[in-house]
Amino acid sequence: MKHAIYPGSFDPMTLGHLDVIERAAQMFDTLTVSVLNNMAKSPLFSVEERVKILEEATSHLQNVKIDSFSGLLIDYCAEKDVHIVIRGLRAITDFEYELQIAQTNRKLSKGSVDTIFLTTSLEYAYLSSSSVKEIASFHGDISQCVPEFLVDRIHEKFA
Ligand code: ADP
């Protein structure tokens, strides 16, 4: 059984995240998408809300599970007995940051956790959770950035 974890903030999830989830779900028997409970950030959506949103967005994918975690990713991987982490790469700017995290995780886990990168589909290369929040804060059109059901929920946060 090949099982991978796709961790992230997903605040909010975007069509770019969904693209990575759909593609990774075809490569593994099970994919756990896990929301990082990061105390340092003040989020738009609570962890519980983000979990529900991801569940709704991935309800068509039978082998995708949604979860949340706090603390070190390698400890969470050990707890779940998972050895593969999925991350998305949009541009060279993501690379340096992601490379450092991937190497740290490999070292800290004594080689037991490896990271696989999926390059973004070109139509979503520009998309980030922060740009979605910025556009929404000015009541702009985010319908091409997030799943349809999520558009009004994001706008409500800025009402
Ligand atoms: P984090 O705050 O942990 O970076 P994010 O929710 O911003 O979490 O992103 C989670 C993962 O999804 C990261 O690997 C990020 O590079 C990737 N990602 C974000 N936006 C996109 C996108 N538009 N296309 C592909 N991957 C993306």
Side-chain angles (χ1 to χ4, degrees):
M1 276 286 279
K2 281 274 172 230
H3 185 176
I5 288 176
Y6 178 32
S9 307
F10 306 107
D11 187 39
M13 75 156 296
T14 67
L15 292 176
H17 293 133
L18 188 58
D19 176 56
V20 169
I21 294 169
E22 284 173 343
R23 287 157 59 203
Q26 288 181 17
M27 297 172 191
F28 296 91
D29 298 310
T30 310
L31 177 72
T32 299
V33 181
S34 201
V35 177
L36 171 63
N37 189 355
N38 185 347
M39 304 294 187
K41 290 188 182 174
S42 64
L44 185 66
F45 289 98
S46 69
V47 171
E48 295 72 24
E49 285 174 315
R50 281 178 268 162
V51 165
K52 287 221 171 70
I53 288 165
L54 280 161
E55 280 171 352
E56 209 166 321
T58 60
S59 60
H60 60 297
L61 301 167
Q62 307 307 316
N63 62 336
V64 172
K65 294 179 191 161
I66 312 298
D67 194 18
S68 65
F69 74 106
S70 48
L72 286 181
L73 178 61
I74 57 155
D75 292 339
Y76 175 67
C77 287
E79 185 193 309
K80 296 271 166 194
D81 196 23
V82 172
H83 305 276
I84 300 169
V85 167
I86 300 293
R87 293 287 287 177
L89 280 181
R90 283 162 293 190
I92 196 79
T93 39
D94 280 340
F95 182 75
E96 213 168 81
Y97 170 75
E98 292 291 346
L99 180 71
Q100 191 186 11
I101 296 179
Q103 286 175 336
T104 306
N105 285 337
R106 187 143 202 279
K107 187 81 183 164
L108 279 183
S109 68
K110 300 190 172 58
S112 110
V113 173
D114 250 317
T115 304
I116 293 181
F117 295 104
L118 291 184
T119 51
T120 182
S121 295
L122 280 180
E123 67 260 48
Y124 303 126
Y126 67 96
L127 252 186
S128 70
S129 298
S130 0
S131 62
V132 169
K133 282 184 268 198
E134 191 165 356
I135 298 167
S137 73
F138 293 109
H139 310 294
D141 180 7
I142 52 168
S143 60
Q144 288 177 56
C145 306
V146 300
E148 206 180 322
F149 75 89
L150 191 50
V151 172
D152 287 346
R153 289 193 219 173
I154 295 174
H155 280 305
E156 278 162 22
K157 294 278 180 184
F158 292 98

